[in-house]
Amino acid sequence: NLGKKSHVLMMIARASPFLFLVAAAANAANACPCRTLLNRPKYNAKELSARWMTHTMDWGVLSTISSRLDDKPPFGNVYSFVDGPCDASTGTPYFYGSHMDQSFADLKENNRVSFTLSEAAFPFTCGGSNFGDCALNGPSGDPENPTCARLTLTGTLVEVENGSEEYKKVQSWFFERHRSMAQWPEDHGWAIAKLEIVDIWFIDFFGGAFIMDHHDYHAAKLNFTDATPAKPKGSITGGMGDMGGPSGHHGMSGHDGKGAGNIVYMFAFVLILVGSVVLGNVLHERFCARHNYGQIPPFQDKADI
């Protein structure tokens, strides 16, 4: 029995590198695409607050003029977006969609759109938290609360030329911040469009909405040193999930997108692997020395010697 128990313990010691590697891989897979989140500006910094929402949020409601219905009513559709990579902001929302989708189909007849963001969606940003002014479980929180910021950007949605330098750059932003998009099926004819803003409606405090000049909005500069680490709270959905993304295509291969954070993950894997191998060997040697077990062949019971 001593020989069997000793052998089991030795196997656990030798397996420790693999266990460390599995744990590290699971942690990296669950890491936020952006390693930090910008801290929210003060409420009286209107332009900065609007720019903060446009950069920090991951999705909103894109409203077009319906080409499907005869009376041409507004049509709202949830869409993921970016305004830049994790560590930079343009203030211009970009959208990644297909003409198979209703919103992009509407653009063929009328490209005037509005795009709406709510601070109540911040918990869905990886590492984001729920503000009390927006939370329904608080005494006064509600998404309609004036101090729960709302932003509506209005303008024209213009497609970026497919294959252009701008297209490739923005696509890399999407694949960095919306990683599942890199695996979406290629046969959907993905297009990138940007919102050229002409009007900004913003509210984050009592006293009515603030109509913001779009030049002042673009002139505001976010401070990327004023940020905190983004820590995921756990996966909400798996597979290829993303706002506005295709469903029913699990396992399909698409674009070969790799976020810049993958290099960091790979480097961390190597360090953890090397460290765990060393630890496993040390544990193995100390265990064998303590139990004088080094001369016993694997899987051989002491009674058979």
Side-chain angles (χ1 to χ4, degrees):
N1 289 336
L2 178 62
K4 289 182 177 180
K5 290 179 181 179
S6 299
H7 181 70
V8 169
L9 291 174
M10 188 176 69
M11 289 180 63
I12 293 175
R14 285 179 169 176
S16 61
F18 175 74
L19 298 177
F20 273 100
L21 184 59
V22 170
N27 183 64
N30 198 37
C32 291
C34 294
R35 307 300 297 273
T36 60
L37 280 180
L38 295 178
N39 294 322
R40 191 192 192 287
K42 295 181 178 179
Y43 76 89
N44 57 349
K46 304 294 186 184
E47 289 81 9
L48 277 177
S49 296
R51 286 291 300 269
W52 173 81
M53 291 182 70
T54 306
H55 181 72
T56 305
M57 302 295 180
D58 293 320
W59 61 275
V61 176
L62 180 65
S63 298
T64 57
I65 304 299
S66 177
S67 60
R68 183 177 61 86
L69 300 173
D70 293 336
D71 54 348
K72 308 298 182 185
F75 173 73
N77 196 3
V78 170
Y79 252 87
S80 297
F81 75 103
V82 296
D83 85 319
C86 289
D87 57 356
S89 167
T90 66
T92 298
Y94 286 85
F95 303 90
Y96 192 64
S98 166
H99 289 285
M100 299 168 65
D101 182 75
Q102 185 62 48
S103 298
F104 270 70
D106 290 343
L107 302 181
K108 295 179 180 179
E109 292 190 9
N110 192 331
N111 68 345
R112 291 183 299 166
V113 303
S114 289
F115 185 55
T116 300
L117 301 174
S118 170
E119 199 171 24
F122 188 57
F124 292 94
T125 296
C126 189
S129 58
N130 202 353
F131 294 112
D133 291 340
C134 303
L136 293 173
N137 61 350
S140 60
D142 194 274
E144 275 194 66
N145 186 343
T147 53
C148 181
R150 284 170 279 158
L151 173 67
T152 297
L153 307 172
T154 302
T156 55
L157 199 60
V158 179
E159 278 197 45
V160 176
E161 182 183 353
N162 195 313
S164 65
E165 290 303 314
E166 183 180 15
Y167 183 98
K168 295 175 183 177
K169 176 178 64 177
V170 176
Q171 186 183 59
S172 71
W173 298 347
F174 275 108
F175 291 173
E176 176 189 20
R177 301 185 62 177
H178 299 267
R179 292 180 293 211
S180 68
M181 288 183 174
Q183 301 171 14
W184 288 359
E186 293 182 343
D187 61 0
H188 281 44
W190 299 107
I192 292 176
K194 60 182 176 182
L195 176 54
E196 296 186 346
I197 302 168
V198 298
D199 183 78
I200 301 173
W201 183 97
F202 180 72
I203 185 169
D204 70 342
F205 202 69
F206 300 100
F210 178 69
I211 306 304
M212 191 179 302
D213 184 277
H214 65 91
H215 296 101
D216 295 336
Y217 164 84
H218 280 293
K221 302 299 182 184
L222 294 171
N223 180 7
F224 280 85
T225 63
D226 184 15
T228 55
K231 299 179 181 179
K233 297 179 179 64
S235 176
I236 297 176
T237 58
M240 298 173 64
D242 207 304
M243 297 295 176
S247 60
H249 298 284
H250 300 287
M252 290 188 175
S253 61
H255 307 285
D256 185 21
K258 296 179 176 64
N262 289 348
I263 298 175
V264 178
Y265 297 153
M266 291 174 63
F267 183 68
F269 283 166
V270 172
L271 289 179
I272 293 172
L273 178 60
V274 172
S276 59
V277 167
V278 173
L279 177 61
N281 287 333
V282 169
L283 291 174
H284 171 235
E285 291 174 4
R286 289 188 177 182
F287 177 82
C288 291
R290 176 176 296 180
H291 294 278
N292 195 24
Y293 185 63
Q295 303 302 317
I296 301 177
F299 300 102
Q300 189 172 14
D301 197 300
K302 192 174 181 180
D304 298 330
I305 299 176

